[in-house]
């Protein structure tokens, strides 16, 4: 019988979630849903020195905004609770002790000063940072070289110790990565990682293996930066006798700068505005409110879509996918090995496409909120829907709706008269005075009739309509933008149209 698919996203609450982290969430989520499996979020907070207040909430808020809701988590509960590693502290020690008893791990009593000394004493130009490994192990204070009596005495005296894995001197370990295929390591390259710290907290290495096992994880997808840790984890799975249960792994490629050179850094992130969704969450490290995708006016659907194609495609040129389509089409084998370039301009293209394909009613609340934040009251929701349909083609970001639609609901605060002035003359002045009067008397108020009236009056003044359109647009909108000018007049109504024409004629 096939096991139920169970995947996990295992963030450490050390800061905001950035693009790469959310993509890891997404790939986990898609894989789980495609296989009718479970998507678990486990908080890996065993490194208390790196804990950041608010980070966990931030992670869950981000997931919620993206619509990537976990089946099990500290927030959503589940049969394998607790899902926060700090609350599972008592679970890990027995496994570390088991490894010591079996000879796969050992007690190390070295003090911080002794470790420091080791690094100084054995540093050479070829090896500037010597590691605690098979070459130096015997020179340190640990249970591999101390006598059994000494060890018992140190333990009885409650001397602080850590438990380290005893990495084999020269062994090849390998596994099959779902993206990279066969990956091998020589254990000589890896140091004797600490598994259990002096305070009894496990390190990431021990906790991730124990929890993936206990939580019956079948597939583990994580960032490429964890590849070097894989040999440690592989050996732990083996030493603990759980090899047959080991999840299939996939190490996801890095996300690169737009030019393809180098990993996207936190600084690029701040510059391009994507590391986090700011919401009201402050990064205590920088004390700054970071502006994220959400605040920049991205739709969650667009954000999810653009993340999915950062390093993956469905084998065609298609780039636009709904979440349902992604669940159907996603496959880990189609994720590229090489890093994926992130391009903010391309990200905006996705958002524009999503705005265009969203219906007015889907966008209504979001646009109304932006307008309200800018003190523009929308009394007529139907009118807002009509406006949204009329202008959405012109909006790349949700925030563009402010400029593109506010003039439907209130008079422009400024008019770009400087763009009219150079070609303004008495004939045009007269034309617009008469146009305002004619519009005031109009019985039929719709785009087609308004255009007809305008053209007839222009002909009577022997003026080309083309020369009059820009001034009329600026009069109604305030600037050189917006949809068809008679559509605007039709929607803002007679009173506002006439008043705005007269205001600007007055200004000129
Ligand atoms: N806690 C690790 C992180 O923050 C998780 C890595 C993994 O998924 O194994 O990235």
């Amino acid at each position: 019988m096939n096991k139920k698919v169970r995947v996990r996203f295992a963030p450490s609450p050390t800061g905001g979630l950035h693009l790469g982290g959310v993509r890891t969430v997404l790939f986990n989520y898609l894989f789980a849903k495609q296989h009718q499996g479970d998507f678990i979020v486990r908080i890996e907070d065993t490194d208390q020195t790196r804990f950041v207040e608010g980070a966990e909430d931030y992670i869950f808020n981000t997931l919620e905004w993206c619509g990537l809701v976990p089946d099990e988590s500290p927030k959503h509960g589940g049969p394998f609770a607790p899902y926060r590693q700090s609350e599972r502290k008592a679970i890990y020690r027995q496994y570390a002790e088991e490894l010591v008893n079996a000879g796969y791990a050992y007690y190390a009593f070295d003090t911080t000063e002794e470790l420091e000394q080791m690094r100084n004493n054995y540093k050479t130009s070829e090896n500037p940072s010597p590691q605690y490994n098979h070459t130096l192990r015997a020179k340190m204070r640990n249970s591999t070289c101390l006598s059994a009596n000494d060890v018992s005495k140190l333990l009885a005296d409650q001397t602080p110790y850590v438990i380290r894995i005893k990495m084999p001197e020269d062994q090849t370990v390998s596994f099959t990565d779902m993206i990279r295929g066969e990956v091998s390591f020589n254990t000589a390259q890896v140091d004797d990682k600490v598994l259990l710290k002096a305070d009894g907290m496990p390190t990431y290495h021990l906790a991730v293996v124990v929890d993936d096992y206990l939580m019956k994880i079948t597939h583990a997808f994580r960032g490429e930066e964890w590849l070097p840790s894989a040999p440690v984890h592989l050996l732990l799975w083996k030493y603990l006798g759980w090899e047959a249960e080991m999840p299939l792994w996939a190490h996801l490629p890095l996300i690169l700068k737009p030019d393809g050179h180098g990993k996207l850094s936190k600084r690029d992130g701040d510059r391009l505005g994507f590391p986090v969704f700011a919401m009201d969450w402050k990064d205590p490290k920088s004390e700054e409110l970071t502006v994220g995708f959400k605040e920049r006016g991205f739709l969650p659907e667009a954000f999810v879509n653009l993340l999915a194609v950062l390093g993956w495609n469905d084998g065609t040129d298609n780039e636009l996918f709904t979440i349902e389509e992604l669940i159907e089409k996603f496959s880990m084998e189609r994720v590229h090995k090489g890093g994926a370039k992130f391009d903010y301009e391309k990200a905006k293209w996705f958002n524009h496409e999503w705005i265009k394909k969203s219906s007015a009613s889907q966008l209504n609340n979001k646009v109304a909120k932006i307008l309200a934040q800018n003190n523009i009251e929308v009394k007529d929701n139907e009118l807002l829907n009509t406006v949204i349909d009329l202008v959405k083609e012109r909006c790349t970001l949700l925030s563009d709706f402010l400029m593109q639609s506010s003039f439907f609901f209130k008079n422009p605060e400024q008019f770009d008269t400087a763009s009219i002035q150079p070609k303004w003359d008495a004939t045009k002045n007269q034309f617009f005075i008469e146009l305002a009067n004619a519009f005031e008397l109009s019985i039929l108020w719709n785009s087609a009739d308004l255009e007809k009236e305008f053209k007839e009056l222009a002909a009577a003044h022997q003026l080309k309509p083309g020369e009059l359109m820009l001034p009329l647009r600026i009069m109604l909108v305030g600037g050189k933008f917006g949809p068809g000018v008679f559509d605007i007049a039709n929607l803002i109504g007679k009173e506002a149209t006439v008043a705005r024409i007269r205001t600007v004629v007055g200004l000129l």
Side-chain angles (χ1 to χ4, degrees):
M1 198 190 81
N2 273 343
K3 277 193 282 181
K4 183 173 195 195
V5 164
R6 289 177 54 83
V7 301
R8 88 298 190 275
F9 175 59
S12 299
T14 55
L17 258 193
H18 58 88
L19 206 62
V22 191
R23 190 190 56 172
T24 304
V25 177
L26 177 63
F27 287 3
N28 271 288
Y29 178 89
L30 296 176
F31 190 86
K33 296 300 137 186
Q34 185 174 68
H35 294 92
Q36 289 84 45
D38 297 325
F39 167 49
I40 293 117
V41 173
R42 181 176 69 224
I43 299 295
E44 301 205 324
D45 57 349
T46 57
D47 189 351
Q48 305 273 316
T49 56
R50 291 174 62 225
F51 182 81
V52 169
E53 187 73 46
E56 187 183 311
D57 282 344
Y58 178 84
I59 291 167
F60 284 110
N61 289 342
T62 303
L63 264 52
E64 195 181 324
W65 184 74
C66 294
L68 307 172
V69 183
D71 299 299
E72 298 167 26
S73 83
K75 216 182 137 186
H76 302 81
F80 296 87
Y83 292 91
R84 230 176 252 117
Q85 286 181 331
S86 59
E87 293 167 19
R88 303 169 63 79
K89 183 177 171 188
I91 296 176
Y92 307 102
R93 174 176 292 275
Q94 56 176 306
Y95 298 106
E97 298 284 359
E98 200 180 294
L99 290 167
V100 175
N101 293 337
Y104 294 126
Y106 59 87
Y107 300 118
F109 300 94
D110 316 273
T111 60
T112 322
E113 294 74 38
E114 285 165 341
L115 291 171
E116 174 93 42
Q117 238 170 44
M118 176 270 272
R119 277 181 225 115
N120 285 333
N121 292 351
Y122 297 100
K123 135 171 116 188
T124 59
S125 51
E126 294 95 74
N127 185 12
S129 44
Q131 297 196 311
Y132 203 122
N133 63 10
H134 64 95
T135 55
L136 294 181
R137 192 185 295 141
K139 302 192 165 78
M140 305 300 292
R141 239 161 33 102
N142 58 59
S143 60
T144 67
C145 49
L146 297 171
S147 72
N149 262 349
D150 286 348
V151 173
S152 305
K153 190 162 182 311
L154 284 164
L155 291 176
D157 290 350
Q158 309 213 327
T159 316
Y161 65 88
V162 301
I163 293 181
R164 288 182 183 267
I165 187 170
K166 192 170 161 189
M167 282 308 271
E169 194 175 323
D170 178 22
Q171 202 175 301
T172 304
V173 286
S174 41
F175 75 99
T176 307
D177 186 281
M178 290 172 75
I179 299 171
R180 286 150 217 273
E182 168 106 357
V183 187
S184 300
F185 306 84
N186 189 298
T187 51
Q189 292 153 2
V190 190
D191 58 327
D192 290 353
K193 295 269 184 253
V194 172
L195 302 177
L196 199 77
K197 293 181 269 189
D199 63 359
M201 261 301 186
T203 58
Y204 160 67
H205 303 295
L206 179 64
V208 75
V209 171
V210 169
D211 284 344
D212 281 355
Y213 171 73
L214 294 178
M215 295 184 178
K216 299 195 185 318
I217 299 303
T218 58
H219 298 76
F221 309 138
R222 59 185 180 186
E224 188 178 274
E225 65 274 23
W226 295 107
L227 203 50
S229 303
V232 180
H233 303 167
L234 276 166
L235 287 176
L236 288 175
W237 280 95
K238 194 169 147 197
Y239 293 162
L240 287 162
W242 301 333
E243 217 177 349
E245 312 294 319
M246 202 181 92
L248 281 175
W249 284 341
H251 290 86
L252 307 175
L254 298 175
I255 297 181
L256 306 173
K257 292 178 206 277
D259 59 11
H261 297 300
K263 186 184 167 190
L264 204 62
S265 70
K266 171 90 171 62
R267 245 182 76 230
D268 295 313
D270 292 343
R271 184 167 56 83
L272 297 164
F274 55 73
V276 287
F277 311 82
M279 304 192 220
D280 2 298
W281 189 82
K282 245 186 210 172
D283 189 337
K285 275 180 256 162
S286 64
E287 280 300 318
E288 269 170 33
L289 265 178
T290 316
V291 176
F293 277 98
K294 184 177 180 245
E295 296 73 28
R296 284 177 181 249
F298 277 80
L299 287 171
E301 295 86 346
F303 184 62
V304 163
N305 186 165
L306 74 91
L307 283 184
V309 298
L310 269 179
W312 171 85
N313 65 55
D314 74 341
T316 72
D317 288 340
N318 190 14
E319 293 182 290
L320 292 175
F321 301 99
T322 62
I323 188 83
E324 292 77 20
E325 289 165 338
L326 289 171
I327 291 172
E328 192 198 314
K329 295 180 187 225
F330 181 74
S331 83
M332 201 50 86
E333 287 71 23
R334 290 205 63 87
V335 174
H336 319 308
K337 269 197 281 269
K341 287 179 204 169
F342 173 74
D343 177 352
Y344 187 59
E345 291 310 310
K346 186 67 195 250
K348 288 200 297 192
W349 176 84
F350 277 102
N351 205 54
H352 191 198
E353 292 303 311
W354 268 94
I355 287 183
K356 286 194 285 186
K357 74 185 225 164
S358 299
S359 68
S361 54
Q362 282 169 324
L363 297 169
N364 186 295
N365 275 339
K366 294 186 167 97
V367 177
K369 202 168 150 200
I370 292 172
L371 294 177
Q373 279 162 354
N374 289 278
N375 301 319
I376 298 169
E377 200 194 341
V378 176
K379 292 192 201 93
D380 180 350
N381 217 26
E382 267 319 295
L383 172 65
L384 180 58
N385 279 340
T386 312
V387 168
I388 290 173
D389 274 330
L390 201 57
V391 304
K392 66 182 185 185
E393 283 270 340
R394 294 158 201 281
C395 299
T396 300
L397 297 170
L398 282 173
S399 43
D400 295 336
F401 276 100
L402 177 62
M403 174 170 163
Q404 294 293 345
S405 61
S406 59
F407 56 87
F408 287 101
F409 303 97
K410 66 172 220 188
N411 289 328
E413 268 152 32
Q414 272 165 354
F415 294 94
D416 178 13
T417 47
S419 296
I420 312 180
Q421 208 88 54
K423 293 192 176 160
W424 193 250
D425 57 24
T427 332
K428 283 185 185 154
N429 199 58
Q430 187 57 27
F431 168 83
F432 278 102
I433 290 171
E434 286 179 31
L435 184 70
N437 293 342
F439 278 176
E440 196 167 33
L441 297 173
S442 285
I443 299 161
L444 296 170
W445 195 265
N446 60 65
S447 315
D449 281 305
L450 292 171
E451 182 167 3
K452 195 163 153 255
E453 230 175 315
F454 170 87
K455 284 189 171 152
E456 282 170 6
L457 191 65
H461 285 263
Q462 295 185 322
L463 286 165
K464 286 200 212 84
E467 292 173 53
L468 304 165
M469 292 294 262
L470 181 71
L472 181 57
R473 170 175 300 281
I474 292 173
M475 288 167 186
L476 301 187
V477 173
K480 292 189 249 182
F481 57 91
V485 76
F486 300 104
D487 291 334
I488 297 171
N490 176 35
L491 284 182
I492 64 175
K494 181 189 282 192
E495 205 181 312
T497 303
V498 171
R500 291 184 197 178
I501 296 174
R502 287 184 177 149
T503 303
V504 178
V505 170
L507 292 173
L508 293 157

